[in-house]
């Protein structure tokens, strides 16, 4: 497991009975956590004194119950800065476990023998975009949601990257990659965080189990002749991490050599001293 254990501004305080208690800066938040199937009791005082809680509805979805929580505030991860705040469907505008991948890609970019061109697909609010740009990469950030791309620009500015070489693209990721292939544009590193389920601009249904392999195969068409890395994230609980390795080995290792490794991502839990699993990541890389 790759554990994102370097955070100072974000902390999982406790998790039990389908929920997790977190600290985001100086705000205490309770959110649903389907992986926390254990019942270890709510001993931390934050369970009673939280600033905001996302409560699920019996009919689906849910809503935030805010006691003392602004719409946005800042958190930091080393020299990176981000806006966070309560969003639809329990999100906070950042997936903190991804910091483990940010450290990996920053190392790959900063030690490369040349400036790297990096493509970030399903890029959300730009955590990986900001990390890659801070390390010196030229980044193309793609997300279908205009609001998320705008949020990503805010995060770049907060991190002192308002003038960094970042292309901000609002587009469907599949259609964008298809056009990049036709244009002959190539990238040395690719990050992708595809959803478990979604709909395309024409109402097409996206289901990760059905669409991930053809999508990754398509994306391989925009890799340069000497690529450095590919990161594939998955939050689909029914998909084994080994499946991602098999996909990576079949596509990237077969074509470019190098090696693949897939592990769960995790966040340390203060109350128990254990690790909360938070999805999986496959990293393909080639030296040089």
């Amino acid at each position: 497991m790759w554990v994102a254990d370097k955070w100072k501004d974000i902390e999982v305080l406790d998790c039990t009975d389908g929920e997790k208690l977190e600290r985001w800066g100086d705000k205490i938040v309770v959110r649903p956590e389907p992986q926390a199937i254990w019942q270890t009791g709510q001993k931390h005082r934050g369970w009673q004194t939280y600033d905001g809680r996302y409560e699920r509805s019996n009919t689906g979805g849910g809503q935030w119950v805010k006691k003392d929580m602004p719409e946005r505030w800042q958190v930091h991860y080393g020299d990176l800065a981000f806006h966070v705040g309560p969003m639809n469907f329990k999100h906070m505008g950042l997936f903190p476990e991804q910091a483990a991948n940010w450290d990996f890609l920053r190392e790959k970019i900063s030690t490369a023998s040349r400036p790297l061109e990096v493509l970030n697909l399903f890029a959300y609010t730009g955590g990986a975009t900001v990390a890659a740009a801070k390390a010196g990469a030229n980044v193309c950030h793609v997300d279908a949601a205009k609001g998320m791309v705008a949020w990503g620009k805010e995060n770049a500015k907060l991190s002192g990257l308002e003038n960094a070489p970042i292309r901000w693209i609002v587009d469907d990721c599949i259609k964008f990659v298809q056009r990049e292939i036709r244009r002959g544009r190539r990238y040395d590193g690719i990050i992708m965080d595809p959803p478990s389920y979604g709909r395309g601009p024409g109402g097409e249904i996206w289901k990760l189990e059905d669409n991930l392999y053809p999508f990754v195969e398509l994306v391989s068409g925009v890799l340069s002749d000497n690529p450095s890395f590919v990161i594939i994230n998955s939050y689909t609980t029914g998909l084994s991490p080994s499946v991602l390795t098999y996909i990576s080995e079949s596509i990237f290792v077969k074509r470019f050599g190098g090696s693949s490794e897939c592990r769960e991502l995790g966040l340390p839990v203060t109350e128990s001293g254990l690790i909360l699993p938070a999805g999986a990541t496959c990293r393909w890389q080639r030296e040089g």
Side-chain angles (χ1 to χ4, degrees), residues 28-42:
I28 305 299
V29 175
V30 179
R31 295 194 292 159
E33 179 46 70
Q35 297 273 41
I37 63 173
W38 45 86
Q39 296 178 344
T40 52
Q42 297 180 346

mmCIF file of all heavy atoms in Angstrom, residues 28-42:
data_model
loop_
_atom_site.group_PDB
_atom_site.id
_atom_site.type_symbol
_atom_site.label_atom_id
_atom_site.label_comp_id
_atom_site.label_asym_id
_atom_site.label_seq_id
_atom_site.Cartn_x
_atom_site.Cartn_y
_atom_site.Cartn_z
ATOM 1 N N ILE A 28 -13.403 20.409 11.286
ATOM 2 C CA ILE A 28 -13.656 18.988 11.518
ATOM 3 C C ILE A 28 -14.901 18.583 10.728
ATOM 4 O O ILE A 28 -15.957 19.219 10.844
ATOM 5 C CB ILE A 28 -13.861 18.683 13.020
ATOM 6 C CG1 ILE A 28 -12.664 19.190 13.830
ATOM 7 C CG2 ILE A 28 -14.064 17.178 13.224
ATOM 8 C CD1 ILE A 28 -11.341 18.565 13.459
ATOM 9 N N VAL A 29 -14.753 17.518 9.936
ATOM 10 C CA VAL A 29 -15.799 17.117 8.998
ATOM 11 C C VAL A 29 -16.104 15.631 9.174
ATOM 12 O O VAL A 29 -15.193 14.820 9.379
ATOM 13 C CB VAL A 29 -15.331 17.391 7.547
ATOM 14 C CG1 VAL A 29 -16.348 16.878 6.543
ATOM 15 C CG2 VAL A 29 -15.086 18.881 7.336
ATOM 16 N N VAL A 30 -17.388 15.280 9.081
ATOM 17 C CA VAL A 30 -17.818 13.883 9.077
ATOM 18 C C VAL A 30 -18.381 13.572 7.693
ATOM 19 O O VAL A 30 -19.256 14.275 7.196
ATOM 20 C CB VAL A 30 -18.895 13.613 10.148
ATOM 21 C CG1 VAL A 30 -19.341 12.135 10.083
ATOM 22 C CG2 VAL A 30 -18.366 13.944 11.540
ATOM 23 N N ARG A 31 -17.854 12.508 7.080
ATOM 24 C CA ARG A 31 -18.324 12.114 5.754
ATOM 25 C C ARG A 31 -18.559 10.599 5.695
ATOM 26 O O ARG A 31 -17.923 9.849 6.437
ATOM 27 C CB ARG A 31 -17.304 12.506 4.684
ATOM 28 C CG ARG A 31 -17.110 13.998 4.521
ATOM 29 C CD ARG A 31 -16.364 14.298 3.235
ATOM 30 N NE ARG A 31 -14.978 13.856 3.264
ATOM 31 C CZ ARG A 31 -14.240 13.636 2.167
ATOM 32 N NH1 ARG A 31 -14.787 13.778 0.973
ATOM 33 N NH2 ARG A 31 -12.968 13.259 2.279
ATOM 34 N N PRO A 32 -19.436 10.147 4.797
ATOM 35 C CA PRO A 32 -19.625 8.701 4.627
ATOM 36 C C PRO A 32 -18.339 8.028 4.168
ATOM 37 O O PRO A 32 -17.557 8.613 3.414
ATOM 38 C CB PRO A 32 -20.700 8.614 3.536
ATOM 39 C CG PRO A 32 -21.412 9.929 3.582
ATOM 40 C CD PRO A 32 -20.365 10.935 3.961
ATOM 41 N N GLU A 33 -18.102 6.807 4.631
ATOM 42 C CA GLU A 33 -16.936 6.023 4.228
ATOM 43 C C GLU A 33 -17.349 4.550 4.125
ATOM 44 O O GLU A 33 -17.359 3.820 5.121
ATOM 45 C CB GLU A 33 -15.795 6.188 5.235
ATOM 46 C CG GLU A 33 -14.535 5.382 4.911
ATOM 47 C CD GLU A 33 -14.145 5.504 3.463
ATOM 48 O OE1 GLU A 33 -13.698 6.605 3.047
ATOM 49 O OE2 GLU A 33 -14.293 4.504 2.730
ATOM 50 N N PRO A 34 -17.738 4.108 2.923
ATOM 51 C CA PRO A 34 -18.252 2.741 2.767
ATOM 52 C C PRO A 34 -17.238 1.652 3.118
ATOM 53 O O PRO A 34 -17.622 0.528 3.437
ATOM 54 C CB PRO A 34 -18.633 2.676 1.277
ATOM 55 C CG PRO A 34 -17.893 3.804 0.626
ATOM 56 C CD PRO A 34 -17.764 4.861 1.660
ATOM 57 N N GLN A 35 -15.931 1.969 3.090
ATOM 58 C CA GLN A 35 -14.933 0.965 3.446
ATOM 59 C C GLN A 35 -14.885 0.695 4.950
ATOM 60 O O GLN A 35 -14.441 -0.360 5.385
ATOM 61 C CB GLN A 35 -13.536 1.438 2.985
ATOM 62 C CG GLN A 35 -13.410 1.608 1.489
ATOM 63 C CD GLN A 35 -13.020 0.312 0.790
ATOM 64 O OE1 GLN A 35 -13.505 -0.767 1.127
ATOM 65 N NE2 GLN A 35 -12.149 0.413 -0.176
ATOM 66 N N ALA A 36 -15.357 1.641 5.753
ATOM 67 C CA ALA A 36 -15.288 1.496 7.214
ATOM 68 C C ALA A 36 -16.466 0.654 7.704
ATOM 69 O O ALA A 36 -17.426 1.154 8.304
ATOM 70 C CB ALA A 36 -15.288 2.869 7.880
ATOM 71 N N ILE A 37 -16.376 -0.658 7.483
ATOM 72 C CA ILE A 37 -17.472 -1.549 7.854
ATOM 73 C C ILE A 37 -17.362 -2.013 9.305
ATOM 74 O O ILE A 37 -18.241 -2.699 9.814
ATOM 75 C CB ILE A 37 -17.528 -2.768 6.909
ATOM 76 C CG1 ILE A 37 -16.245 -3.590 7.040
ATOM 77 C CG2 ILE A 37 -17.749 -2.321 5.469
ATOM 78 C CD1 ILE A 37 -16.275 -4.906 6.257
ATOM 79 N N TRP A 38 -16.268 -1.636 9.974
ATOM 80 C CA TRP A 38 -16.064 -2.012 11.365
ATOM 81 C C TRP A 38 -16.849 -1.089 12.295
ATOM 82 O O TRP A 38 -17.232 0.027 11.919
ATOM 83 C CB TRP A 38 -14.575 -1.974 11.710
ATOM 84 C CG TRP A 38 -13.898 -0.733 11.188
ATOM 85 C CD1 TRP A 38 -13.811 0.483 11.791
ATOM 86 C CD2 TRP A 38 -13.228 -0.589 9.928
ATOM 87 N NE1 TRP A 38 -13.130 1.379 11.006
ATOM 88 C CE2 TRP A 38 -12.761 0.738 9.851
ATOM 89 C CE3 TRP A 38 -12.976 -1.463 8.856
ATOM 90 C CZ2 TRP A 38 -12.062 1.225 8.741
ATOM 91 C CZ3 TRP A 38 -12.279 -0.987 7.760
ATOM 92 C CH2 TRP A 38 -11.824 0.341 7.716
ATOM 93 N N GLN A 39 -17.067 -1.548 13.517
ATOM 94 C CA GLN A 39 -17.786 -0.760 14.521
ATOM 95 C C GLN A 39 -16.920 -0.696 15.777
ATOM 96 O O GLN A 39 -17.008 -1.540 16.656
ATOM 97 C CB GLN A 39 -19.153 -1.380 14.815
ATOM 98 C CG GLN A 39 -20.077 -1.374 13.605
ATOM 99 C CD GLN A 39 -21.418 -2.021 13.882
ATOM 100 O OE1 GLN A 39 -21.595 -2.737 14.862
ATOM 101 N NE2 GLN A 39 -22.380 -1.777 13.006
ATOM 102 N N THR A 40 -16.087 0.336 15.822
ATOM 103 C CA THR A 40 -15.120 0.454 16.905
ATOM 104 C C THR A 40 -15.468 1.555 17.897
ATOM 105 O O THR A 40 -14.676 1.850 18.794
ATOM 106 C CB THR A 40 -13.714 0.712 16.319
ATOM 107 O OG1 THR A 40 -13.780 1.822 15.411
ATOM 108 C CG2 THR A 40 -13.220 -0.500 15.555
ATOM 109 N N GLY A 41 -16.647 2.150 17.743
ATOM 110 C CA GLY A 41 -17.073 3.180 18.689
ATOM 111 C C GLY A 41 -16.543 4.556 18.319
ATOM 112 O O GLY A 41 -15.450 4.700 17.782
ATOM 113 N N GLN A 42 -17.327 5.578 18.619
ATOM 114 C CA GLN A 42 -16.959 6.962 18.299
ATOM 115 C C GLN A 42 -16.380 7.626 19.547
ATOM 116 O O GLN A 42 -17.053 8.364 20.257
ATOM 117 C CB GLN A 42 -18.180 7.719 17.778
ATOM 118 C CG GLN A 42 -18.721 7.141 16.474
ATOM 119 C CD GLN A 42 -19.931 7.902 15.960
ATOM 120 O OE1 GLN A 42 -20.541 8.703 16.669
ATOM 121 N NE2 GLN A 42 -20.301 7.651 14.715
#
